[in-house]
Amino acid sequence: MANIRVRYAPSPTGHLHIGGARTALFDYLYARKHEGQFIIRFEDTDQSRHVESGVDSQLEGLRWLGIDWDESVDIGGPYGPYRQTERLDLYQPFVEQLLREGNAYPCFCTEAELEAERAEQEAAGHTPMYSGKCRHLTAEQAEAYRAEGRKPSIRFRVPANKVIAFEDRIREHVEFESAGIGDFIIVRPDGIPTYNFAVILDDHLMKITLVIRGEEHLTNTPRQIMMYEALGLPTPEFAHLSLILNQDRKKMSKRDESIIQFIEQYKALGYLPEAVMNFIALLGWSPKGEEEIFSKDELIAQFDLDRVSKSPAVFDMDKLNWMNNLYIKKADPERIVTLALPHLQQAGRLPATLSDEQTEWVRALVGLYQDQLRYAAEIVPVSELFFREDVQLDDEAKAMLAEEHAPIVLGSFQKQVEGASDFSVDTIKALVKAVQTETGYKGKPLFMTIRVALTGQMHGPDLNMTIRLLGRDTVLARLKKLL
């Protein structure tokens, strides 16, 4: 296999979106699987959408996911620069070639004229398409337009009655007819090339062998192939990824709030990057067998475009949370503490600077809930009972405490706590055992009664550790108030 070179080429318009992250990940996995190169470049010629921090934000999101690259704006490479606006002088010889060979021409139509043409076509029930008004301008007509002060755009001359066919690595055989494609602009009046023109030149000059991108680019492909052919350049292979749908199986929009859509948000909520990478890899790609949990190295070893589906992928938030929980369960407890602590501090539950005693308490608190956390920010709602003044009881909890055994168990437990010399987990275990011996109650009447009285919850994590983390003073205050 020839040297594989793939690229991820976002516009720096903001944060790294799930769709972009999937494209970058598939590029990365393919390159690493085939010992090729993965390049990141930025298509920033549309300055109206440019966000200055967009480049750093994209790279930071990819870095967080665990994706590395071989060439880009930050590390350079033999085919730079890696921003389109820094490559404008590289495009001019190709523009001149197309003009010289009659495959492109200057168009002096104003935006108002083009808009009127579109409106007329739509009113007649036709698909809007450039009429070719400037296709056959004489030199004198062109000079007259220039004398008026009009600056031309450059349009590509689309061949008539041509079938543009290619073999897509995912969609197999794809065909378009040139009759449905009007002559399109490749250079704007300000001299800046359009996306479709700049992208083929960048891919050619950077020796890209395979273009992996979303299916929204599928209709760009015939335009790009025609320009490759007109310039006498080799055409790379293409692989167009299916859409990502939301949980209602509708096309995901960036305004869809049912899904967290940007990688930065997952980082902020305390998801683990290796879990997010694992989940994104399965959006449209199916591994062999039933296994769904993969390390990065395992993904690289298994990844193949042949197993990427043509059908849309469904973004299942529940599955992501299930998967992230699996990773959290296996993670180093100290790592989860580091992710969870800032959320407790931001919620005002803990001070910005902790004493040694508070640090140990937080470690134990996060350890108590580590197995149930879907992401680190959940530590705030799940641990709320430790920071409330009063125990909140629902009807089921009130009914439990209204049973005849409840005051007997709680009275005995209060007496045991008051007489305790320390409040370690082992001591608490012994205190509860002493209540069992004294009252004769065990099982649910014993353990659930104490839990409900102290936490308001019928079920929860380890009771002895919960009691220790509440602390002796809080336990006694809650028991006295209840009794």
Side-chain angles (χ1 to χ4, degrees):
M1 187 180 282
N3 183 32
I4 296 292
R5 286 178 61 81
V6 295
R7 50 69 168 181
Y8 171 56
S11 298
T13 54
H15 300 302
L16 178 59
H17 187 260
I18 284 289
R22 179 184 67 166
T23 300
L25 178 59
F26 283 15
D27 273 310
Y28 169 76
L29 295 175
Y30 189 83
R32 295 293 174 260
K33 167 80 173 280
H34 297 289
E35 298 181 352
Q37 280 83 48
F38 172 46
I39 296 96
I40 299 177
R41 71 164 187 260
F42 289 90
E43 298 179 346
D44 61 347
T45 53
D46 186 351
Q47 289 295 296
S48 65
R49 299 173 65 230
H50 182 80
V51 177
E52 194 49 48
S53 61
V55 170
D56 289 340
S57 180
Q58 288 270 338
L59 294 179
E60 181 54 39
L62 294 172
R63 210 174 277 121
W64 178 77
L65 275 174
I67 293 174
D68 58 89
W69 45 90
D70 303 294
E71 300 167 30
S72 192
V73 292
D74 57 334
I75 55 175
Y79 300 99
Y82 293 90
R83 289 178 193 255
Q84 278 184 343
T85 50
E86 296 173 6
R87 299 173 60 81
L88 299 181
D89 59 327
L90 298 174
Y91 306 138
Q92 193 54 35
F94 296 97
V95 179
E96 291 168 3
Q97 180 186 340
L98 289 173
L99 287 168
R100 187 172 61 248
E101 295 174 356
N103 291 312
Y105 58 90
C107 171
F108 292 89
C109 296
T110 65
E111 190 51 51
E113 289 168 344
L114 293 171
E115 186 54 50
E117 187 176 278
R118 280 193 291 269
E120 195 176 313
Q121 290 170 338
E122 284 174 351
H126 300 142
T127 303
M129 187 188 305
Y130 180 60
S131 64
K133 180 180 172 184
C134 293
R135 237 178 185 244
H136 306 292
L137 287 182
T138 63
E140 291 77 13
Q141 288 171 312
E143 197 50 49
Y145 279 132
R146 285 194 172 91
E148 287 178 25
R150 295 198 189 194
K151 288 187 175 178
S153 56
I154 307 296
R155 285 187 184 270
F156 181 78
R157 194 186 300 273
V158 174
N161 305 315
K162 180 179 174 66
V163 174
I164 305 104
F166 62 98
E167 297 301 319
D168 190 279
R169 290 288 302 274
I170 295 168
R171 293 162 191 280
E172 298 167 348
H173 189 74
V174 181
E175 285 186 3
F176 291 90
E177 292 186 5
S178 67
I181 305 170
D183 293 352
F184 53 89
I185 294 173
I186 59 172
V187 181
R188 301 184 188 96
D190 60 5
I192 303 292
T194 59
Y195 162 77
N196 271 315
F197 187 48
V199 76
I200 70 152
L201 300 178
D202 288 339
D203 284 343
H204 167 66
L205 294 169
M206 292 183 181
K207 301 190 184 304
I208 301 303
T209 57
L210 169 65
V211 175
I212 301 173
R213 58 189 181 187
E215 75 169 28
E216 66 273 16
H217 287 287
L218 192 59
T219 53
N220 288 325
T221 309
R223 292 171 169 81
Q224 294 170 10
I225 289 174
M226 285 190 288
M227 287 187 286
Y228 277 119
E229 290 175 349
L231 288 163
L233 303 177
T235 305
E237 288 189 287
F238 294 96
H240 289 90
L241 306 174
S242 64
L243 291 173
I244 300 175
L245 306 180
N246 66 17
Q247 290 177 191
D248 297 327
R249 295 183 177 272
K250 292 179 181 170
K251 185 178 176 181
M252 196 192 297
S253 83
K254 290 186 179 178
R255 293 182 298 279
D256 185 349
E257 294 182 0
S258 68
I259 290 170
I260 302 165
Q261 296 199 35
F262 296 96
I263 295 301
E264 186 181 62
Q265 293 171 290
Y266 288 101
K267 180 181 178 184
L269 285 168
Y271 281 80
L272 298 184
E274 58 270 37
V276 178
M277 175 189 271
N278 190 159
F279 175 78
I280 292 173
L282 299 176
L283 288 174
W285 170 73
S286 4
K288 294 172 183 171
E290 300 298 314
E291 183 58 55
E292 290 190 299
I293 305 301
F294 298 99
S295 68
K296 181 163 72 174
D297 287 344
E298 288 167 339
L299 287 172
I300 290 168
Q302 279 224 35
F303 186 78
D304 198 323
L305 285 174
D306 292 345
R307 299 190 68 82
V308 174
S309 174
K310 299 176 199 173
S311 304
V314 177
F315 192 104
D316 185 342
M317 200 73 205
D318 293 335
K319 182 172 180 177
L320 172 57
N321 286 332
W322 164 80
M323 190 173 281
N324 200 57
N325 171 252
L326 288 184
Y327 277 88
I328 285 178
K329 284 177 182 175
K330 296 175 184 174
D332 178 353
E334 202 60 37
R335 184 183 179 196
I336 307 306
V337 171
T338 302
L339 290 173
L341 176 57
H343 294 284
L344 291 166
Q345 291 168 321
Q346 287 160 19
R349 303 280 168 83
L350 291 168
T353 306
L354 304 184
S355 66
D356 290 346
E357 187 180 345
Q358 287 171 320
T359 300
E360 282 308 309
W361 186 86
V362 170
R363 282 196 181 109
L365 178 76
V366 175
L368 186 66
Y369 288 103
Q370 181 167 343
D371 278 2
Q372 76 179 69
L373 291 176
R374 298 178 302 169
Y375 49 91
E378 274 197 327
I379 193 65
V380 175
V382 300
S383 67
E384 187 188 359
L385 70 95
F386 291 95
F387 303 97
R388 283 200 302 251
E389 279 294 317
D390 297 318
V391 176
Q392 295 176 351
L393 302 172
D394 61 17
D395 291 342
E396 190 179 10
K398 286 175 183 174
M400 179 81 189
L401 296 179
E403 293 183 23
E404 61 178 341
H405 67 268
I408 300 167
V409 167
L410 297 178
S412 173
F413 186 57
Q414 178 183 344
K415 189 172 65 178
Q416 294 292 339
V417 172
E418 286 171 340
S421 56
D422 71 85
F423 216 57
S424 66
V425 168
D426 286 342
T427 299
I428 292 162
K429 199 180 289 185
L431 299 181
V432 175
K433 184 70 177 170
V435 172
Q436 179 182 332
T437 302
E438 181 183 330
T439 65
Y441 289 109
K442 58 185 178 179
K444 180 178 171 182
L446 172 65
F447 299 110
M448 194 177 284
T449 301
I450 293 173
R451 183 185 294 282
V452 169
L454 297 180
T455 70
Q457 298 173 353
M458 304 290 286
H459 307 282
D462 182 78
L463 179 60
N464 298 314
M465 179 57 80
T466 300
I467 294 169
R468 183 180 90 70
L469 289 172
L470 282 168
R472 189 169 181 273
D473 292 346
T474 299
V475 167
L476 285 174
R478 290 184 178 184
L479 288 171
K480 283 174 183 172
K481 189 163 187 178
L482 195 65
L483 289 168

